[in-house]
Amino acid sequence: TDSIKSQIIDILNNIDTKNSPIYFIQFPNWYSLVKDIKNEVCGHIVFDCMDEHSGFSNVSNSVCTQEEELLNNADLVISSSNKLYEKNKKINQNTIIT
């Protein structure tokens, strides 16, 4: 993971952009890597919340914990249903539904 993280940081540092990167996360497990990268290369985190992860029997408690942290820290949360929108909006005011 450290190798991947340093390679992504190198790439981002060598891209000539006028805007900050947008870190688009679809699964909460990615948050820890993105958080580390964002500490090196500032950007915006968008969480595409498509599922109620706690509802799956094969999802660990750590994923649910990471999801909660991600919901609290994302710059934007995209919810795929009314139920998720209502839940996520209570945690992060920057929540929309698609």
Side-chain angles (χ1 to χ4, degrees), residues 18-73:
K18 295 179 183 174
N19 300 313
S20 299
I22 295 174
Y23 302 107
F24 191 81
I25 301 175
Q26 292 182 311
F27 191 72
N29 271 355
W30 301 350
Y31 180 60
S32 111
L33 174 64
V34 170
K35 182 172 60 172
D36 288 347
I37 293 170
K38 186 181 174 199
N39 285 335
E40 298 288 327
V41 181
C42 290
H44 303 283
I45 295 176
V46 174
F47 177 32
D48 185 18
C49 184
M50 299 179 286
D51 295 305
E52 178 74 44
H53 292 100
S54 62
F56 292 96
S57 61
N58 62 338
V59 172
S60 69
N61 287 339
S62 67
V63 171
C64 295
T65 301
Q66 288 171 326
E67 180 177 41
E68 184 80 20
E69 186 179 354
L70 176 55
L71 283 167
N72 279 302
N73 294 296

Side-chain angles (χ1 to χ4, degrees), residues 5-21:
K5 179 175 67 176
S6 63
Q7 289 174 16
I8 292 171
I9 290 169
D10 286 344
I11 290 168
L12 290 171
N13 282 327
N14 288 308
I15 295 174
D16 184 26
T17 63
K18 295 179 183 174
N19 300 313
S20 299

